[in-house]
Amino acid sequence: MEEHYYVSIDIGSSSVKTIVGEKFHNGINVIGTGQTYTSGIKNGLIDDFDIAKQAIKDTIKKASIASGVDIKEVFLKLPIVGTEVYDEANEIEFYEDTELTGEHIESVLEGIREKNDVPETEVITAFPIKFVVDGDNEVSDPKELIARHSLKVEAGVIAIQQSILINMIKCVESCGVDVLDVYSDAYNYGSVLSATEKELGACIIDVGEDITQIAFYERGELVDADSVQMAGRDITEDIAEAFNTTHETAEKIKHQYGHAFFDSASDQDVFSVDQIDSEEDVQYTQKDLADVIEARMEDIFFSVFDVLQELGLTNVNGGFIVTGGSANLLGVKELLQDMVSEKVRIHTPSQMGIRKPEFSSAISTISSSITFDELLDYVTISNHDSEDFEEEVIESDNRESASKSNGFDWFKKKSNKQDDEPSYVSDEPGTTTTSESSHSTTENDDTYEYENKNHEPEQKEEGKFKKLMKSLFD
């Protein structure tokens, strides 16, 4: 891998995606991508090693051809399945005045990993919340400061089951590439949020093929994350059953005619569906299809609300951000907005070539890689004519301030379309608008400087992550 290129691999339940990118200004420039659909992954985990391996090989090859980069090293994203999020602190001491560097930051974070005492789990990410120099000087980045006595870090920690970690890495590295580091989706999702959303308290809902992942950020940091095993495949199976057709046909009409909000679906858009037990096709309208899809999407969102309640997260003042492959369905935003009082938006990456919600995780993995490389001083990336861009978020003037009876400020009971179902009335519209959170994308012919400091990529490879892998596989 060229020094200024970052390659991420996202092993999803329906497809494997690879992105080759580079940092440019305050965003990421995508150079090439690859995507291969596969049946070797289930619930975000390896189900058939050989099938998954072939899909990973294919997508790496596609990305290599598209980008012109000989891919040798990659960053791997891991699902939220089997993970725990908690806080931990660690401190290192000095016996003389010491100028702090990326090596000291790496050392104090490495101590967090060593404190993990939960059997059969491994810390994959320790992200700093704040550093404390000499006991009372709180800073966000201590590099180049002088410490006379100590450097302490208060960090968020993401740990995952060792078996998941080992099998994912083994499958990827069997394809002839080295995994430089791994990043959990729980941490990656922070890059899809605006600063305002992260500060106020926002919930990311990633509706994939087999699982829906949830991450909650507040005061700028990850608070907690979880997942539910209900997602796009369940929608397809519901359609197949309701329309008496095959899974393949159900998947096709879901993408062609699907709508998640019954009230907005058309009863004029008519299509024919092959039947399992008959040679005669049956005609349905988009509204018929929306009736099935909306019911399942509601179940998914209600499951997300249950998770938030179990985690004790009662305020989502920053709103709900929906992404993932199933966010492509028409009406998803409208449905969720009809269910909650806070703002809702669909997140789609802004970079050319990946403007689909299902690429959010893969591009966010590159963002995480760049963040840690700069924090640990592996690289310093300096871009000419760099400008700071503030993302605009228009806040609602009529956000609800009183808690509902269930303790959730954001929950708004909806009016159901069936007469025989209980009817609820929203307290207020709760409608807001927001600009899409995005990274800036630039063309390849701009100039840049890229300087290695303290660590070459080869040295990083032999650092904390390779030591971890060696201990796990031994």
Side-chain angles (χ1 to χ4, degrees), residues 45 80 131 143 156 209 211 226 249 266 342 349 392 407 410 416 471:
L45 306 176
I80 294 175
F131 294 95
K143 288 195 297 293
E209 179 72 2
I211 58 174
D226 208 334
T249 300
S266 170
E342 296 297 345
E392 180 185 3
W410 44 266
N416 295 287
S471 67

mmCIF file of all heavy atoms in Angstrom, residues 45 80 131 143 156 209 211 226 249 266 342 349 392 407 410 416 471:
data_model
loop_
_atom_site.group_PDB
_atom_site.id
_atom_site.type_symbol
_atom_site.label_atom_id
_atom_site.label_comp_id
_atom_site.label_asym_id
_atom_site.label_seq_id
_atom_site.Cartn_x
_atom_site.Cartn_y
_atom_site.Cartn_z
ATOM 1 N N LEU A 45 -21.009 -11.963 10.532
ATOM 2 C CA LEU A 45 -19.897 -12.833 10.899
ATOM 3 C C LEU A 45 -19.648 -13.866 9.797
ATOM 4 O O LEU A 45 -20.511 -14.129 8.963
ATOM 5 C CB LEU A 45 -20.198 -13.539 12.222
ATOM 6 C CG LEU A 45 -20.570 -12.632 13.398
ATOM 7 C CD1 LEU A 45 -20.941 -13.473 14.615
ATOM 8 C CD2 LEU A 45 -19.442 -11.668 13.726
ATOM 9 N N ILE A 80 -20.690 -4.551 15.428
ATOM 10 C CA ILE A 80 -20.947 -4.322 16.847
ATOM 11 C C ILE A 80 -21.320 -5.620 17.554
ATOM 12 O O ILE A 80 -21.255 -5.714 18.779
ATOM 13 C CB ILE A 80 -22.053 -3.255 17.005
ATOM 14 C CG1 ILE A 80 -21.535 -1.909 16.481
ATOM 15 C CG2 ILE A 80 -22.501 -3.108 18.438
ATOM 16 C CD1 ILE A 80 -22.568 -0.807 16.479
ATOM 17 N N PHE A 131 -6.983 13.728 27.899
ATOM 18 C CA PHE A 131 -5.688 13.470 28.513
ATOM 19 C C PHE A 131 -5.500 14.449 29.666
ATOM 20 O O PHE A 131 -5.988 15.589 29.616
ATOM 21 C CB PHE A 131 -4.560 13.654 27.501
ATOM 22 C CG PHE A 131 -4.563 12.648 26.383
ATOM 23 C CD1 PHE A 131 -5.185 12.948 25.175
ATOM 24 C CD2 PHE A 131 -3.945 11.418 26.525
ATOM 25 C CE1 PHE A 131 -5.188 12.041 24.136
ATOM 26 C CE2 PHE A 131 -3.943 10.495 25.487
ATOM 27 C CZ PHE A 131 -4.569 10.802 24.289
ATOM 28 N N LYS A 143 0.521 16.009 22.477
ATOM 29 C CA LYS A 143 1.789 15.993 21.743
ATOM 30 C C LYS A 143 2.478 17.360 21.805
ATOM 31 O O LYS A 143 1.843 18.403 21.676
ATOM 32 C CB LYS A 143 1.581 15.578 20.282
ATOM 33 C CG LYS A 143 1.254 14.106 20.108
ATOM 34 C CD LYS A 143 1.412 13.651 18.659
ATOM 35 C CE LYS A 143 0.477 14.346 17.698
ATOM 36 N NZ LYS A 143 -0.938 13.965 17.945
ATOM 37 N N GLY A 156 -12.602 5.728 26.230
ATOM 38 C CA GLY A 156 -13.664 4.781 25.959
ATOM 39 C C GLY A 156 -13.045 3.520 25.384
ATOM 40 O O GLY A 156 -12.059 3.587 24.640
ATOM 41 N N GLU A 209 -28.297 -6.052 6.137
ATOM 42 C CA GLU A 209 -28.999 -7.194 5.569
ATOM 43 C C GLU A 209 -29.542 -8.121 6.652
ATOM 44 O O GLU A 209 -30.715 -8.493 6.635
ATOM 45 C CB GLU A 209 -28.052 -7.979 4.654
ATOM 46 C CG GLU A 209 -28.663 -9.207 4.019
ATOM 47 C CD GLU A 209 -29.670 -8.882 2.924
ATOM 48 O OE1 GLU A 209 -29.877 -7.703 2.618
ATOM 49 O OE2 GLU A 209 -30.254 -9.827 2.368
ATOM 50 N N ILE A 211 -28.498 -7.672 10.277
ATOM 51 C CA ILE A 211 -28.532 -7.025 11.589
ATOM 52 C C ILE A 211 -28.714 -5.517 11.446
ATOM 53 O O ILE A 211 -28.337 -4.928 10.431
ATOM 54 C CB ILE A 211 -27.249 -7.308 12.407
ATOM 55 C CG1 ILE A 211 -26.007 -6.838 11.655
ATOM 56 C CG2 ILE A 211 -27.147 -8.774 12.767
ATOM 57 C CD1 ILE A 211 -24.732 -6.956 12.466
ATOM 58 N N ASP A 226 -25.037 -1.276 20.364
ATOM 59 C CA ASP A 226 -25.625 -2.614 20.434
ATOM 60 C C ASP A 226 -26.170 -2.955 19.053
ATOM 61 O O ASP A 226 -26.052 -2.160 18.109
ATOM 62 C CB ASP A 226 -26.730 -2.665 21.482
ATOM 63 C CG ASP A 226 -26.913 -4.050 22.089
ATOM 64 O OD1 ASP A 226 -26.566 -5.042 21.400
ATOM 65 O OD2 ASP A 226 -27.413 -4.145 23.225
ATOM 66 N N THR A 249 -37.424 -13.092 -6.173
ATOM 67 C CA THR A 249 -38.406 -12.155 -6.712
ATOM 68 C C THR A 249 -38.755 -11.080 -5.685
ATOM 69 O O THR A 249 -38.886 -9.894 -6.022
ATOM 70 C CB THR A 249 -39.681 -12.897 -7.142
ATOM 71 O OG1 THR A 249 -39.353 -13.864 -8.153
ATOM 72 C CG2 THR A 249 -40.714 -11.930 -7.691
ATOM 73 N N SER A 266 -47.773 4.786 -3.625
ATOM 74 C CA SER A 266 -48.730 4.982 -4.716
ATOM 75 C C SER A 266 -49.617 3.753 -4.899
ATOM 76 O O SER A 266 -49.143 2.621 -4.833
ATOM 77 C CB SER A 266 -47.977 5.264 -6.021
ATOM 78 O OG SER A 266 -48.853 5.226 -7.123
ATOM 79 N N GLU A 342 -37.902 13.916 17.404
ATOM 80 C CA GLU A 342 -36.661 14.581 17.021
ATOM 81 C C GLU A 342 -36.427 14.470 15.525
ATOM 82 O O GLU A 342 -37.101 13.720 14.824
ATOM 83 C CB GLU A 342 -35.483 13.978 17.796
ATOM 84 C CG GLU A 342 -35.569 14.193 19.297
ATOM 85 C CD GLU A 342 -35.522 15.660 19.698
ATOM 86 O OE1 GLU A 342 -35.145 16.507 18.857
ATOM 87 O OE2 GLU A 342 -35.886 15.976 20.843
ATOM 88 N N PRO A 349 -22.770 8.717 2.137
ATOM 89 C CA PRO A 349 -21.449 9.321 1.905
ATOM 90 C C PRO A 349 -21.477 10.252 0.703
ATOM 91 O O PRO A 349 -22.193 10.005 -0.271
ATOM 92 C CB PRO A 349 -20.545 8.102 1.653
ATOM 93 C CG PRO A 349 -21.235 6.975 2.341
ATOM 94 C CD PRO A 349 -22.706 7.246 2.188
ATOM 95 N N GLU A 392 -23.504 22.731 8.788
ATOM 96 C CA GLU A 392 -24.639 23.475 9.309
ATOM 97 C C GLU A 392 -25.748 22.525 9.728
ATOM 98 O O GLU A 392 -26.146 21.650 8.987
ATOM 99 C CB GLU A 392 -25.165 24.432 8.236
ATOM 100 C CG GLU A 392 -26.357 25.252 8.720
ATOM 101 C CD GLU A 392 -26.939 26.095 7.615
ATOM 102 O OE1 GLU A 392 -26.449 25.985 6.482
ATOM 103 O OE2 GLU A 392 -27.882 26.849 7.892
ATOM 104 N N GLY A 407 -40.859 8.110 29.580
ATOM 105 C CA GLY A 407 -39.542 8.630 29.920
ATOM 106 C C GLY A 407 -38.692 8.979 28.729
ATOM 107 O O GLY A 407 -37.540 9.340 28.894
ATOM 108 N N TRP A 410 -37.882 11.692 22.970
ATOM 109 C CA TRP A 410 -37.869 11.660 21.515
ATOM 110 C C TRP A 410 -38.981 10.823 20.915
ATOM 111 O O TRP A 410 -39.227 10.870 19.726
ATOM 112 C CB TRP A 410 -36.526 11.116 21.011
ATOM 113 C CG TRP A 410 -36.062 9.908 21.766
ATOM 114 C CD1 TRP A 410 -35.226 9.873 22.820
ATOM 115 C CD2 TRP A 410 -36.430 8.547 21.530
ATOM 116 N NE1 TRP A 410 -35.046 8.603 23.260
ATOM 117 C CE2 TRP A 410 -35.761 7.765 22.489
ATOM 118 C CE3 TRP A 410 -37.256 7.927 20.592
ATOM 119 C CZ2 TRP A 410 -35.891 6.392 22.541
ATOM 120 C CZ3 TRP A 410 -37.393 6.556 20.647
ATOM 121 C CH2 TRP A 410 -36.705 5.800 21.620
ATOM 122 N N ASN A 416 -51.891 4.812 13.559
ATOM 123 C CA ASN A 416 -51.825 3.628 12.716
ATOM 124 C C ASN A 416 -52.922 3.662 11.668
ATOM 125 O O ASN A 416 -54.007 4.182 11.885
ATOM 126 C CB ASN A 416 -51.976 2.365 13.563
ATOM 127 C CG ASN A 416 -50.817 2.205 14.521
ATOM 128 O OD1 ASN A 416 -49.715 1.880 14.097
ATOM 129 N ND2 ASN A 416 -51.055 2.472 15.800
ATOM 130 N N SER A 471 -0.145 -12.934 19.855
ATOM 131 C CA SER A 471 -0.532 -13.580 21.103
ATOM 132 C C SER A 471 -1.841 -14.354 20.941
ATOM 133 O O SER A 471 -2.012 -15.425 21.527
ATOM 134 C CB SER A 471 -0.679 -12.534 22.206
ATOM 135 O OG SER A 471 -1.768 -11.659 21.947
#
